[in-house]
Amino acid sequence: AQRVTQPEKLLSVFKGAPVELKCNYSYSGSPELFWYVQYSRQRLQLLLRHISRESIKGFTADLNKGETSFHLKKPFAQEEDSAMYYCALSTSADKLIFGTGTRLQVFP
Amino acid sequence: DGGITQSPKYLFRKEGQNVTLSCEQNLNHDAMYWYRQDPGQGLRLIYYSQIVNDFQKGDIAEGYSVSREKKESFPLTVTSAQKNPTAFYLCASSIPSGMGGELFFGEGSRLTVL
């Protein structure tokens, strides 16, 4: 079965602390993974995708096929990073499966 | 101003009534999607359409119906058969790219059944 698991509903850190939002997936094919973010009063939007191997707003995510994980990391959290983060898995036929989301709170 | 427009933003409905949520896009995207967002459950796919006059059921299609008569429009009808329709509904579109292109989302429609 295709599934995305985000074990943490809420992650609270202080400004400047490292952040890691966990994401594990279940998929028998070759996965394509994404992180989407929803800031307060804004639309859900793409943050980054594994195929791009890029860093967006200081965030990075590495696909680990052995551990079936795609954790999102940032070395120094900022208050403006506070948002809802969703990990998503793309299967064939352009279908995106989302995890349940993790709310990141960054305190000053 | 390009993007995805959902309407209405808020909708109240009595039990037993059907209601249709509108989704329009001017991004010239082929694929469109409807998701339901519930607290603690993330986004769950209701229906999606990769091309005009074609659509497929997602994971929670029961009690919902859609049509795709025009490329720009993908309305969602929440029927009286949907047992728990109160939710936040998100529409999205993308350029199909075989393995998932970037999804562009609307602002959402919140449906409350009284």
Side-chain angles (χ1 to χ4, degrees), chain A residues 22-78:
Chain A
K22 292 184 168 50
C23 172
N24 288 89
Y25 66 91
S26 173
Y27 182 52
S28 57
S30 183
E32 187 165 344
L33 287 144
F34 304 79
W35 277 99
Y36 279 77
V37 61
Q38 190 168 25
Y39 300 103
S40 180
R41 297 196 179 94
Q42 293 188 30
R43 302 178 187 217
L44 190 61
Q45 58 187 287
L46 178 68
L47 179 62
L48 55 80
R49 66 186 87 192
H50 94 270
I51 201 168
S52 301
R53 293 183 170 272
E54 57 194 346
S55 173
I56 303 293
K57 299 185 179 183
F59 284 98
T60 59
D62 292 318
L63 176 61
N64 186 323
K65 290 187 178 181
E67 296 183 358
T68 61
S69 68
F70 188 57
H71 303 328
L72 183 68
K73 300 178 184 179
K74 185 169 182 177
F76 307 104
Q78 303 298 315

Side-chain angles (χ1 to χ4, degrees), chain A residues 9 27 30-32 34 36 38 43-46 49 84 86 90-101, chain B residues 3-4 33 35 37 40-43 45 48 50 59 88 90 95-103 105-107:
Chain A
K9 285 189 177 179
Y27 182 52
S30 183
E32 187 165 344
F34 304 79
Y36 279 77
Q38 190 168 25
R43 302 178 187 217
L44 190 61
Q45 58 187 287
L46 178 68
R49 66 186 87 192
M84 193 74 180
Y86 291 96
S90 177
T91 66
S92 58
D94 291 297
K95 184 177 163 182
L96 262 190
I97 297 170
F98 286 83
T100 52
Chain B
I4 298 181
Y33 309 79
Y35 286 89
Q37 189 176 29
Q41 298 196 55
L43 278 74
L45 183 63
Y48 63 107
Q50 292 178 283
D59 300 317
F88 190 63
L90 282 171
I95 303 171
S97 62
M99 276 294 285
E102 176 180 354
L103 259 60
F105 284 88
E107 292 184 310

Side-chain angles (χ1 to χ4, degrees), chain B residues 7-43:
Chain B
S7 62
K9 281 192 175 181
Y10 301 94
L11 186 62
F12 296 88
R13 172 194 115 177
K14 292 182 180 179
E15 276 193 38
Q17 290 180 334
N18 292 356
V19 62
T20 297
L21 306 179
S22 168
C23 179
E24 304 278 330
Q25 55 102 355
N26 60 5
L27 299 168
N28 201 32
H29 287 169
D30 289 313
M32 296 187 74
Y33 309 79
W34 274 105
Y35 286 89
R36 172 177 169 144
Q37 189 176 29
D38 295 285
Q41 298 196 55
L43 278 74

